[in-house]
Amino acid sequence: MSTLIEVKHLKKFFNTKRGVLHAVDDVSFKIEAGTTMGLVGESGCGKSTLGRTMIHLQESTDGQIFFEGEDVTHVKKKKLQSLRDDMQIIFQDPLSSLNPRMTVKDTIEEPLILSKKYPTKAALEEESRRLMDLVGVEERLRLSYPHELDGGRRQRVGIARALALGPKFVVCDEPVSALDVSIQAQILNLLMDLQDQYQLAYLFVTHDLSVVRHISDSICVMYLGQMVETCETEELFRNTLHPYTKALLSAIPSVDIHHQPERILLKGEITSPINPGEGCRFAARCPYACERCHQKMELEEVIPGHFVSCCRARELNGI
């Protein structure tokens, strides 16, 4: 498969009264067409900021963004508008992301009207009906408002809006975290079916490792704006190397009451993302931290295809 989107040393900083907040700090990875990369980590680690920066909802501080081999880090006006057709987002909360004054029909038709690709009203309505049927929204709800729909149907409308212009890359910003478990499964299966049908590439942002294992081809683990471990999905669950990732996996509940995994409890103060030092940002909470952890850390290929940002990864895992 060919690389669809790639980021190199991407940074997104915010100026605050206390200093510079490093929301995304020197992140690099690539996503191939038709595949899903899962992005996991605690709340506040910069996952959503990374996704929004990649599609230019926020402009990057430094680094590069490549789409189909073309540098799109700094694009303006018409080029940005054409890029919007190819890069879209599905938001976390379907209620707050939909305009409460617009019906299902109006919400789906809005991007179609702005694209000016449908000159007649009949063509516009035909396409909006096709999109509703594609995501499983009943025709009888065409004139309904967001508050009249349940969470699952609202998210389906959000997905239809995101797919309206035929994108190639979609940021899924925790699209199922606000939904009931049974509805989560339906939305996940819908996203996977749409990916198979249209060869979509996803960046799937979540804090739920069981969900990301189900949908992702590869996983990046993020901690306070930096990548700490990345590899193929099954490799991560089979051979976890970073202490932070091990703590995350230990928090996944098991249905087997006789073989519950040992929970790893993290202690210590969380490092501030404002003016952080060069060392490992997890060191303050890591039980294996040493003097070397306060030096500059970079992702290192410890096993072929398995990258870890930890100076003791080989030692702790017997590699």
Side-chain angles (χ1 to χ4, degrees):
M1 295 184 187
S2 60
T3 298
L4 180 70
I5 189 164
E6 180 178 8
V7 297
K8 293 183 177 179
H9 308 291
L10 191 66
K11 299 181 181 180
K12 177 59 182 176
F13 298 163
F14 296 94
N15 293 319
T16 71
K17 293 181 179 179
R18 294 173 53 199
V20 180
L21 190 152
H22 293 222
V24 177
D25 198 353
D26 199 18
V27 169
S28 300
F29 61 84
K30 59 180 68 175
I31 303 175
E32 296 180 341
T35 66
T36 299
M37 171 170 281
L39 184 60
V40 301
E42 294 172 290
S43 297
C45 72
K47 304 186 301 295
S48 296
T49 301
L50 173 57
R52 290 166 185 252
T53 303
M54 288 176 67
I55 64 172
H56 291 279
L57 289 184
Q58 297 171 329
E59 291 304 315
S60 61
T61 302
D62 197 6
Q64 293 177 292
I65 305 169
F66 293 89
F67 185 76
E68 295 185 320
E70 180 182 359
D71 190 340
V72 295
T73 311
H74 304 290
V75 290
K76 304 294 182 182
K77 297 180 180 179
K78 289 186 178 180
K79 181 59 181 177
L80 179 59
Q81 186 174 353
S82 69
L83 197 62
R84 297 274 189 230
D85 294 355
D86 292 322
M87 304 168 71
Q88 285 291 330
I89 184 170
I90 301 168
F91 293 98
Q92 177 178 356
D93 184 0
L95 182 58
S96 63
S97 66
L98 299 178
N99 190 329
R101 295 180 176 87
M102 295 176 68
T103 63
V104 171
K105 168 183 175 296
D106 294 335
T107 298
I108 296 175
E109 287 185 356
E110 183 180 30
L112 301 176
I113 294 171
L114 293 174
S115 71
K116 299 180 181 179
K117 296 178 180 178
Y118 300 88
T120 66
K121 186 176 180 180
L124 192 68
E125 291 197 355
E126 181 182 355
E127 180 61 14
S128 65
R129 283 191 166 89
R130 185 190 72 83
L131 287 166
M132 287 180 61
D133 182 64
L134 181 68
V135 299
V137 178
E138 301 92 327
E139 172 68 20
R140 63 182 176 84
L141 301 175
R142 189 168 173 78
L143 299 180
S144 299
Y145 290 90
H147 72 273
E148 299 176 306
L149 307 176
D150 59 38
R153 287 191 176 92
R154 283 196 290 261
Q155 194 59 289
R156 288 174 187 270
V157 173
I159 294 172
R161 179 179 60 183
L163 297 181
L165 300 180
K168 299 176 182 178
F169 172 65
V170 181
V171 174
C172 303
D173 188 6
E174 302 201 41
V176 298
S177 63
L179 307 177
D180 293 338
V181 175
S182 60
I183 305 300
Q184 284 185 14
Q186 295 176 20
I187 298 300
L188 288 173
N189 289 333
L190 171 63
L191 291 172
M192 295 172 72
D193 289 343
L194 292 170
Q195 183 177 54
D196 291 339
Q197 186 173 349
Y198 295 104
Q199 283 300 292
L200 298 171
Y202 292 144
L203 177 69
F204 197 91
V205 177
T206 183
H207 59 265
D208 191 332
L209 281 161
S210 57
V211 167
V212 85
R213 184 176 190 176
H214 175 66
I215 197 172
S216 298
D217 299 289
S218 59
I219 295 178
C220 286
V221 182
M222 198 169 183
Y223 185 79
L224 288 182
Q226 294 184 325
M227 295 297 180
V228 297
E229 188 166 4
T230 178
C231 60
E232 292 185 354
T233 300
E234 289 309 314
E235 166 67 14
L236 184 82
F237 283 86
R238 180 176 60 250
N239 191 21
T240 312
L241 300 181
H242 198 282
Y244 174 63
T245 311
K246 292 180 179 180
L248 285 181
L249 291 178
S250 75
I252 300 177
S254 173
V255 295
D256 188 347
I257 61 173
H258 301 294
H259 298 90
Q260 290 292 323
E262 182 181 354
R263 182 74 180 269
I264 300 174
L265 299 177
L266 298 176
K267 301 178 181 179
E269 291 291 328
I270 299 176
T271 302
S272 173
I274 298 176
N275 300 328
E278 288 190 340
C280 176
R281 296 177 187 176
F282 183 62
R285 304 171 72 192
C286 181
Y288 310 107
C290 64
E291 191 64 30
R292 285 180 295 164
C293 298
H294 299 289
Q295 300 172 5
K296 187 176 182 179
M297 292 285 165
E298 293 182 354
L299 280 175
E300 181 184 1
E301 191 172 15
V302 177
I303 298 173
H306 196 148
F307 295 81
V308 184
S309 177
C310 178
C311 62
R312 299 190 64 187
R314 287 188 171 89
E315 173 192 348
L316 295 173
N317 294 284
I319 299 173

